[in-house]
């Protein structure tokens, strides 16, 4: 049980760390200026990279209590942002988002993979792994 929790926490941290590096790559290397909703998603992802790193090192399954809400809220923001980009009825909402419109798509791989989609994927993976941590601890 202990090894499973350690692996799940490490997986959640690796996901958050990769997402953090990815967002920094897009803004600092590719020079994509983040929109307001991208900043909000960063506000939820960046602390997860630090919190989950500490939890993975300390093997602290109690991290679920305060990291899962961050991940779920971040996923909600990412999903909303993705809808603004991809659902025609919502695209008008993203045009007045700030300096960079939230409906702008710096990338659109395969017609559906955008930056908010990548963030949503990362938040979802982190949430699922943390739920598995919670269930594993309850069983043990």
């Amino acid at each position: 049980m202990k090894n499973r929790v350690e692996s799940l926490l490490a997986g959640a941290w690796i996901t958050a760390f990769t997402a953090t590096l990815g967002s920094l790559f897009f803004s600092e290397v590719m020079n994509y200026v983040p929109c307001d909703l991208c900043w909000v998603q960063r506000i939820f992802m960046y602390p997860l990279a630090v919190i989950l790193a500490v939890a993975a090192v300390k093997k602290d399954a109690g991290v679920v209590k305060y990291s899962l809400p961050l991940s779920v809220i971040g996923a909600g923001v990412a999903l909303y942002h993705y809808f603004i980009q991809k659902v025609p009825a919502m695209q008008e909402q993203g045009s007045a988002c700030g300096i960079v419109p939230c409906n702008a798509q710096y990338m659109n791989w395969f017609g559906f993979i955008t930056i908010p989609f990548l963030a949503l994927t990362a938040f979802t993976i982190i949430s699922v792994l943390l739920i598995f941590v919670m269930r594993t601890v309850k069983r043990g």
Side-chain angles (χ1 to χ4, degrees):
M1 177 185 86
K2 190 174 183 179
N3 287 337
R4 179 173 166 87
V5 169
E6 291 173 19
S7 297
L8 292 167
L9 289 173
W13 169 71
I14 289 168
T15 304
F17 184 69
T18 302
T20 299
L21 289 180
S23 76
L24 290 171
F25 173 80
F26 286 134
S27 62
E28 302 304 318
V29 176
M30 300 299 293
N31 294 315
Y32 297 162
V33 177
C35 71
D36 289 350
L37 287 175
C38 287
W39 279 113
V40 173
Q41 291 165 72
R42 287 177 176 205
I43 288 168
F44 288 100
M45 184 62 74
Y46 289 13
L48 283 172
V50 175
I51 291 168
L52 292 171
V54 172
V57 169
K58 294 180 104 181
K59 300 167 181 67
D60 178 15
V63 72
V64 172
K65 295 173 193 166
Y66 43 90
S67 58
L68 185 58
L70 286 175
S71 185
V72 170
I73 294 168
V77 173
L79 182 63
Y80 174 69
H81 190 184
Y82 187 68
F83 282 169
I84 285 175
Q85 288 184 331
K86 293 297 184 180
V87 176
M90 293 183 70
Q91 286 182 345
E92 277 187 39
Q93 295 175 23
S95 61
C97 191
I99 296 171
V100 176
C102 291
N103 58 7
Q105 297 179 37
Y106 285 115
M107 57 178 257
N108 189 9
W109 298 336
F110 307 111
F112 71 96
I113 299 175
T114 64
I115 294 173
F117 180 85
L118 294 173
L120 175 60
T121 302
F123 282 123
T124 301
I125 291 169
I126 293 165
S127 296
V128 168
L129 291 173
L130 292 174
I131 289 168
F132 283 147
V133 167
M134 189 172 53
R135 287 184 176 178
T136 301
V137 169
K138 281 185 180 179
R139 287 184 191 153

